[in-house]
Amino acid sequence: MKARRIFSLARRVIRQIMHDRRTVALVFLAPMLLITLGAILFRAEAVVIPLGVVNEDEGMTVPMAGKMVMGQIIVDELQSGEVFSIVTLSRDEIDARLRDGTVHGVVVFPADFTAGFYKNRQAAIDLRLEGSNPTRSLQIGARVTEAAMKALAGQMLSAQGQAAGGKTTELPVTLNASYLYAGESFDTMDYVAPAYIAFLSFFFVFLLTCVSFLRERSQGTMERLLATPASRLEIIVGYIAGLSLFAVIQVAVILLFTVWAIQIHYLGSLWLLFLIVALLAVVGVSLGILCSTFARNEFQVVQFIPLVIIPQALLGGLIWAVEEMPGYLQPFAYVMPLTYANRALRDVMLKGQGLAEIWPNLLILAAFALIIVGLGALTVRREVA
Amino acid sequence: MDTVVKAQALHKHFGPIHAVDGLDLAVQAGEIYGLLGPNGSGKTTLIRLLIGLLKPTSGGAEILGQTMPDKAILSQVGYMTQVSALYDDLSVKDNVAFFAEMCGLPPADSRARITEVLELVNLQDRAGSMVRTLSGGMKQRTSLACALVHRPRLLLLDEPTVGVDPQLRVTFWTYFRQLADSGVTLIVSSHVMDEAERCDRLGFIRSGKLLADGSAAALRAQAGAATLEEAFLHFAGEAG
């Protein structure tokens, strides 16, 4: 080993990188950007969950204690914490309000709730959950149980005191959960899987396109193509058509593997899932073409990953639900195609929705593809110029 | 004789660099016009301006009577770039067929024409070979086949013989002469003076300016020089 040779090599590498100002800037700025984004998201305060309450509890008169309405005691406890914002509902609005997202769960206290509590020494709480986000469902269930136990503790002690001399025996709260969408068998992976499928399809198609299109320009064939009667739009659409074949096959493989091998639950049509991811893949191809016109080599293509791909993973709903992010980050999420694909996929896989419900998301994805194709057509001759 | 290529007061600036600087040019049908100048003199930029790949800073160009850029007229133009510009992972035949389709060669005519053009560049035996397996000279011949396949009326060849061995260079110039005799107009850029002798007319280019143009004999006579190299230096010296 000759130190002089190693030194020369190291010096050459440093000089080369220093000449690529974009790379130098990216090496320092991109990690800071991504760490900041991660910190904001991880440290974001828990979002207040809108919880519906149907309180029909008529209460009952208890000897020594007077009129008791246990349902109201629990509602007061739920309201006093910082977890829920309580929305009072009637029984016939429950599913509509869960469907439109104004509440994520509804606690129902029937007319004989208090009477039942004193009769059975158990508070049987009916909880209707939206269900598409299993983590949120678990959180609501746990918090409602906790609040109910806290609220009822005093009552239980006094009731048991009357019956058994003050000895507590078992937890007095039973939660009867029912779901608008999905159900108890759905777990966190079922919630993450739709976004994961979308992210992986998008990522690999983007990279494949970026590198292929870059090669077209670096080999000089793009210049040659532009010297034929083919228009820039024809070249781009031809590229999209060719690469989309592989994208669509990839989508099919990912979907079928996820559903059958990993055994992810899904409720809606598999064909519709395929359509959403295939459309997202077309957006990925278009974005790959657009970005590749700003790269001079494969190294610069890789630089688009922290700039274009990772922010979409962080902000597009893969881990954090967009509506639960800090308000100032949400506009960024809404200019990312992955946000709409994730939304559509979750609506189909977890809610069993069909084309009639998810078409706005598909339309937005199509608009993304068209706009990006248009921008790509405008920038495609940069290399020649 | 028809003027096939015309450039008037053509300028192309890249920031402070004047790559083409007020250039006038007229090339007639069936002519082999040589653009002769050192590396960086503006030959490639001029060809790109003529074919419409670059937008001039000022001035304009006409090809086959059409003001450039004009996409439709490019079906009658063949362009061979300085690098071979081929798809390495496709066969020779697939490359030629692809450019035939892109230039609008009718499918009925395509098969016979591809065979014909591969015979012309003597690659019929390597038609199925992947381009990445070819030698540099074979790649250049494939590239020429791609530029010729759609029977263009005008051929713009940017340094077509760079990296080509002397024997193949002779072969290339024989093709070029055959094409010109059949009425095709050729603009061939080169920095090799002995190739220039084979052109009908020559344009000496330096710093984006056309120093002089005419036949090789006329340019030598005008400069009072024995060789084209001396003539070039004479005109370059005059231009300062």
Side-chain angles (χ1 to χ4, degrees):
Chain A
M1 283 235 294
K2 290 259 187 197
R4 193 181 170 82
R5 270 203 291 267
I6 293 170
F7 175 72
S8 296
L9 202 94
R11 191 175 57 182
R12 195 219 75 205
V13 170
I14 293 165
R15 275 185 180 163
Q16 265 184 308
I17 294 176
M18 291 304 284
H19 286 153
D20 189 348
R21 283 184 208 159
R22 205 168 93 183
T23 300
V24 175
L26 193 100
V27 162
F28 297 107
L29 294 179
M32 286 195 276
L33 172 81
L34 296 179
I35 289 170
T36 308
L37 212 54
I40 292 170
L41 291 165
F42 278 111
R43 285 181 175 165
E45 284 182 16
V47 176
V48 176
I49 300 169
L51 182 73
V53 168
V54 177
N55 190 3
E56 295 167 346
D57 187 11
E58 288 170 355
M60 70 176 281
T61 306
V62 179
M64 315 275 291
K67 174 91 171 173
M68 297 294 294
V69 186
M70 302 302 293
Q72 193 55 49
I73 294 169
I74 297 172
V75 172
D76 291 344
E77 182 59 37
L78 287 169
Q79 209 148 19
S80 68
E82 288 174 354
V83 180
F84 298 114
S85 64
I86 302 298
V87 183
T88 306
L89 302 176
S90 64
R91 203 176 267 270
D92 52 5
E93 317 176 74
I94 296 175
D95 281 2
R97 297 296 291 270
L98 286 172
R99 201 169 282 123
D100 67 20
T102 46
V103 293
H104 295 326
V106 181
V107 185
V108 181
F109 300 104
D112 60 352
F113 181 74
T114 304
F117 173 69
Y118 279 99
K119 189 180 165 198
N120 306 321
R121 305 283 185 263
Q122 276 285 324
I125 299 173
D126 293 329
L127 179 63
R128 180 83 169 146
L129 291 157
E130 192 261 358
S132 69
N133 184 340
T135 311
R136 192 161 58 201
S137 298
L138 282 174
Q139 189 190 0
I140 294 173
R143 294 298 182 126
V144 167
T145 308
E146 189 187 327
M149 282 172 63
K150 207 170 159 188
L152 297 179
Q155 306 308 317
M156 183 195 68
L157 279 171
S158 78
Q160 283 184 336
Q162 285 171 24
K167 267 172 69 187
T168 53
T169 49
E170 58 183 49
L171 296 177
V173 178
T174 329
L175 212 58
N176 300 319
S178 66
Y179 297 85
L180 177 67
Y181 305 120
E184 262 172 309
S185 60
F186 281 65
D187 60 17
T188 304
M189 185 58 196
D190 291 313
Y191 174 73
V192 174
Y196 210 39
I197 292 169
F199 174 73
L200 291 177
S201 310
F202 186 77
F203 176 48
F204 287 112
V205 159
F206 173 83
L207 267 193
L208 174 74
T209 310
C210 256
V211 173
S212 307
F213 210 71
L214 176 80
R215 226 181 261 174
E216 182 89 50
R217 293 185 303 118
S218 59
Q219 287 180 345
T221 43
M222 178 54 73
E223 179 169 353
R224 195 160 206 163
L225 268 179
L226 288 168
T228 70
S231 70
R232 285 177 280 170
L233 197 60
E234 281 170 342
I235 293 170
I236 293 212
V237 174
Y239 236 87
I240 289 173
L243 285 166
S244 292
L245 174 74
F246 293 98
V248 161
I249 294 170
Q250 186 216 36
V251 165
V253 170
I254 291 178
L255 263 182
L256 296 179
F257 184 78
T258 312
V259 168
W260 286 329
I262 308 292
Q263 297 200 319
I264 290 298
H265 292 93
Y266 73 98
L267 296 172
S269 146
L270 199 57
W271 284 110
L272 197 54
L273 295 179
F274 182 74
L275 177 70
I276 300 162
V277 191
L279 192 54
L280 178 70
V282 174
V283 178
V285 171
S286 318
L287 195 63
I289 291 174
L290 178 65
C291 288
S292 82
T293 59
F294 296 97
R296 285 197 307 271
N297 50 48
E298 273 90 348
F299 187 50
Q300 291 193 342
V301 163
V302 175
Q303 293 172 12
F304 283 115
I305 296 170
L307 290 180
V308 177
I309 300 295
I310 299 180
Q312 295 211 59
L314 292 175
L315 297 174
L318 176 65
I319 304 165
W320 296 275
V322 174
E323 55 276 15
E324 290 173 11
M325 286 174 192
Y328 57 90
L329 281 184
Q330 291 184 18
F332 294 104
Y334 291 122
V335 294
M336 294 178 173
L338 219 51
T339 303
Y340 301 93
N342 289 342
R343 194 180 280 181
L345 283 169
R346 284 197 172 118
D347 284 350
V348 175
M349 291 180 82
L350 300 168
K351 299 181 182 176
Q353 291 186 344
L355 195 58
E357 290 90 5
I358 65 151
W359 68 265
N361 292 313
L362 293 182
L363 202 66
I364 293 169
L365 282 178
F368 266 115
L370 281 177
I371 292 167
I372 298 170
V373 166
L375 290 174
L378 287 176
T379 54
V380 79
R381 35 185 346 164
R382 282 182 82 251
E383 183 68 10
V384 178
Chain B
M1 206 181 261
D2 294 335
T3 302
V4 171
V5 176
K6 198 156 79 178
Q8 281 178 317
L10 205 54
H11 284 85
K12 181 66 190 178
H13 302 167
F14 297 108
I17 298 165
H18 293 201
V20 171
D21 195 9
L23 198 140
D24 294 300
L25 187 73
V27 181
Q28 312 304 321
E31 206 174 24
I32 302 180
Y33 188 93
L35 289 172
L36 201 66
N39 289 329
S41 59
K43 304 186 295 291
T44 299
T45 305
L46 175 60
I47 289 178
R48 286 173 170 175
L49 284 167
L50 293 176
I51 207 164
L53 286 173
L54 288 177
K55 201 176 163 195
T57 308
S58 64
E62 276 181 27
I63 277 185
L64 297 160
Q66 300 299 316
T67 303
M68 297 307 286
D70 183 305
K71 273 278 171 191
I73 203 69
L74 292 178
S75 64
Q76 298 179 50
V77 179
Y79 176 43
M80 185 173 165
T81 52
Q82 212 172 88
V83 288
S84 53
L86 298 165
Y87 298 98
D88 282 349
D89 300 327
L90 293 183
S91 69
V92 169
K93 193 176 176 182
D94 286 344
N95 268 277
V96 179
F98 172 69
F99 283 105
E101 282 170 15
M102 296 309 285
C103 292
L105 189 72
D109 186 16
S110 186
R111 205 177 199 173
R113 177 61 183 162
I114 292 165
T115 309
E116 184 182 287
V117 87
L118 287 178
E119 278 171 11
L120 186 71
V121 296
N122 200 20
L123 278 174
Q124 65 274 32
D125 296 338
R126 299 299 300 266
S129 302
M130 290 290 151
V131 164
R132 64 169 180 270
T133 64
L134 301 182
S135 68
M138 285 177 181
K139 284 184 182 173
Q140 284 293 82
R141 280 189 275 163
T142 309
S143 183
L144 182 62
C146 292
L148 289 176
V149 68
H150 58 295
R151 298 190 186 90
R153 288 171 60 196
L154 169 66
L155 261 177
L156 294 161
L157 308 173
D158 193 4
E159 307 246 13
T161 55
V162 164
V164 169
D165 63 69
Q167 195 182 347
L168 184 58
R169 194 175 287 182
V170 172
T171 314
F172 266 27
W173 279 99
T174 310
Y175 299 153
F176 298 161
R177 179 51 62 196
Q178 283 169 2
L179 288 165
D181 290 345
S182 68
V184 176
T185 309
L186 290 96
I187 294 183
V188 185
S189 77
S190 178
H191 62 273
V192 183
M193 295 292 169
D194 65 345
E195 283 188 353
E197 294 282 358
R198 300 169 188 269
C199 298
D200 297 316
R201 274 196 314 133
L202 287 172
F204 285 159
I205 295 190
R206 204 191 67 163
S207 304
K209 287 189 165 74
L210 189 66
L211 303 175
D213 82 340
S215 68
L219 288 168
R220 274 195 305 269
Q222 205 179 327
T227 64
L228 272 177
E229 200 156 16
E230 285 169 15
F232 184 88
L233 292 171
H234 168 82
F235 288 112
E238 267 188 358

